Amino acid sequence: MSDDDSLPGPLDTAEQPLAAVVPKPDTEDAIADLRAEGVYDDDRRIREFGADAVALPVTEPPQRTQVREVVRQEPARRLRTLDDHLREQGWSEDELDRAPGSWAVIGTVVLVDVGDAPRPAEVGEALLALHANADTVLARHGIDGQHREPDVELLAGSGDTETVHTEHGTKYALDLAQVMFSPGNKAERAHMGDVVDADDRVFDMFAGVGYFTLPMARAGAHVTATEHNPTAFRYLLENAKLNDVHDRVDIYRADCRDVADGVEADRVVMGFYDAYEYLDAALAALEPGGILHMHEATPEGLVFDRPIDRIEDAAAAVDRTVEVLDTRRVKGYSEGVAHVVVDARIE
């Protein structure tokens, strides 16, 4: 993966293509920003730049994207797809048809569902070649147990599963072999940071490593966050400090029901597929006129109707009324099942 024999030289020493240097954990966000700025060069590949950074190919110096420096490099044609890399390893077209079609880069770790792909180790090596900012590739096999711990297998790389992942400026430290992180929830995490009002009082009932707590606290909300998983709780504490929001986040390692009675919240976030089982506690914490954000894994034929009915039934049981404000599909959960969110004002 390393290109140490052709490290870039100073900007003014050669008429070579440009590259923008960024820290490895910022790679995916920086690429998105450079593309939005119209200066990312898809025809060249990403290169390592020392031990902790990568050089992203650009057509001209970026004006809006934050980078460490802009350098010049020897031109290097990019193998643009996973199939390109696997073909170089001798894979046939029939084998390529069984290769993974998607994966996620979380900080310096690639998560991939290899399915029935032949030679998974070669898939791992190809993904490392495709993503210069990554140093470990994990095959994911699902989520197990009361604490929803990931079942993963090392395919390639150093095996370092602890990383810092950055999304829209929010930093998530985590160990992907010990705690879950859903790449498909990225837009929802950003959305929660956008909709919250400064000084809102938020109760995040299933906080994890801070999926929703952190963007909401960064937007100025005061968050009471509960998490039962000891490993996720430890990272939640670390991430509150990492994002400099520890003064706006009260964190409890506890069952959310045990905390709810002492909370007065303008918003309650229920980021758990079986969250409806905790609606009584959520409504106990939610002030009149407050907003509930409830997640659910719903069969396609019941999408939105079932979670709305559950909210309305729980509210009626305590003589409260419901105004549905928004409904969203976050992603597919499994075949025939969707991950959805209902936002509702509870009077």
Side-chain angles (χ1 to χ4, degrees):
M1 287 194 16
S2 176
D3 291 292
D4 290 342
D5 58 343
S6 57
L7 283 176
L11 183 59
D12 58 355
T13 61
E15 291 302 319
Q16 296 171 337
L18 299 175
V21 178
V22 302
K24 281 187 176 182
D26 297 347
T27 300
E28 299 302 316
D29 274 356
I31 290 172
D33 291 344
L34 292 168
R35 283 202 171 107
E37 196 172 337
V39 298
Y40 188 72
D41 187 350
D42 278 302
D43 292 327
R44 291 186 290 129
R45 61 187 173 89
I46 301 169
R47 290 178 165 180
E48 287 188 339
F49 193 93
D52 65 346
V54 292
L56 305 178
V58 293
T59 55
E60 58 185 77
Q63 301 300 309
R64 300 191 302 271
T65 304
Q66 185 173 357
V67 301
R68 285 185 180 176
E69 60 180 312
V70 177
V71 298
R72 292 194 181 273
Q73 289 184 313
E74 292 283 348
R77 183 180 68 85
R78 180 184 176 189
L79 296 176
R80 300 173 68 96
T81 68
L82 177 63
D83 283 3
D84 289 342
H85 287 274
L86 293 174
R87 282 192 184 95
E88 285 211 336
Q89 295 185 27
W91 282 43
S92 69
E93 293 304 313
D94 287 342
E95 290 174 324
L96 290 173
D97 287 342
R98 295 160 58 196
S102 63
W103 53 90
V105 183
I106 308 298
T108 56
V109 179
V110 180
L111 292 177
V112 60
D113 181 356
V114 294
D116 65 347
R119 302 188 295 285
E122 292 185 9
V123 173
E125 292 297 338
L127 287 169
L128 284 181
L130 190 62
H131 297 284
N133 58 304
D135 54 28
T136 295
V137 180
L138 299 177
R140 52 186 176 187
H141 301 301
I143 303 294
D144 297 323
Q146 176 187 1
H147 289 151
R148 296 184 57 77
E149 295 166 341
D151 179 12
V152 297
E153 174 189 359
L154 178 64
L155 289 185
S158 69
D160 184 0
T161 57
E162 191 171 39
T163 190
V164 176
H165 175 63
T166 304
E167 283 183 2
H168 304 287
T170 300
K171 294 179 172 61
Y172 298 91
L174 72 167
D175 187 331
L176 288 159
Q178 297 189 58
V179 298
M180 62 169 287
F181 191 90
S182 177
N185 293 0
K186 180 177 181 178
E188 186 66 17
R189 288 188 286 270
H191 173 73
M192 295 307 295
D194 291 338
V195 300
V196 73
D197 294 324
D199 295 325
D200 267 2
R201 298 167 300 169
V202 179
F203 182 26
D204 187 353
M205 298 178 72
F206 310 97
V209 301
Y211 313 113
F212 303 119
T213 289
L214 296 173
M216 297 179 88
R218 290 184 66 238
H222 297 272
V223 185
T224 299
T226 57
E227 175 53 45
H228 202 266
N229 181 324
T231 304
F233 174 79
R234 175 169 61 84
Y235 281 110
L236 178 59
L237 289 170
E238 180 179 340
N239 287 330
K241 294 180 180 179
L242 183 64
N243 288 275
D244 196 24
V245 296
H246 51 283
D247 59 337
R248 291 198 296 276
V249 181
D250 295 320
I251 301 172
Y252 297 87
R253 187 188 166 212
D255 186 306
C256 56
R257 290 185 190 278
D258 296 334
V259 178
D261 285 342
V263 176
E264 296 177 349
D266 303 305
R267 295 177 186 266
V268 172
V269 182
M270 307 181 75
F272 175 50
Y273 293 132
D274 294 327
Y276 69 92
E277 297 178 355
Y278 297 79
L279 276 166
D280 58 337
L283 296 179
L286 189 63
E287 292 288 281
I291 298 174
L292 180 73
H293 306 274
M294 191 183 86
H295 293 236
E296 187 183 277
T298 310
E300 285 291 348
L302 301 175
V303 162
F304 301 130
D305 289 337
R306 189 175 77 175
I308 290 172
D309 287 346
R310 284 171 164 167
I311 294 170
E312 289 178 340
D313 288 347
V318 291
D319 296 321
R320 299 180 71 170
T321 59
V322 176
E323 176 191 359
V324 175
L325 302 177
D326 192 17
T327 57
R328 294 182 298 285
R329 288 175 179 263
V330 177
K331 63 180 185 301
Y333 175 73
S334 61
E335 186 175 355
V337 179
H339 174 184
V340 302
V341 184
V342 175
D343 298 342
R345 188 184 306 280
I346 312 296
E347 297 294 350

